[in-house]
Amino acid sequence: MASTTSPVGLAFAKIAMEAALTISITGDPSTPHQAGVNLAKALNGSLLTAKGTTHHRRVGASA
């Protein structure tokens, strides 16, 4: 990966920040949903909100 001080590195970092997706769960006891909302705004990114009551979600069948 290019250094973040090089023009290529700075361009990559800018693209990565523009593409930021924050995932927040409404009833997460460890990280309040509002913190996810605030993070998405601070990163100028998108927010995906999931309803739930745990700190993580698993999608699909368990292994």
Side-chain angles (χ1 to χ4, degrees), residues 23 25 50-52 54-63:
I23 301 171
I25 300 175
K51 290 184 181 179
T54 62
H55 186 62
H56 65 279
R57 285 188 75 126
R58 180 176 29 194
V59 178
S62 60

Side-chain angles (χ1 to χ4, degrees), residues 22-39 50 52-56:
T22 301
I23 301 171
S24 183
I25 300 175
T26 56
D28 183 339
S30 299
T31 310
H33 176 64
Q34 188 60 49
V37 172
N38 296 344
L39 179 62
T53 58
T54 62
H55 186 62
H56 65 279

Side-chain angles (χ1 to χ4, degrees), residues 1 5-7 10-16 24 28 38 41 44-47 52 55-56 59-60 63:
M1 187 168 137
T5 58
S6 73
L10 290 172
F12 177 80
K14 184 176 185 302
I15 291 168
S24 183
D28 183 339
N38 296 344
K41 285 181 182 177
N44 197 28
S46 299
L47 174 66
H55 186 62
H56 65 279
V59 178

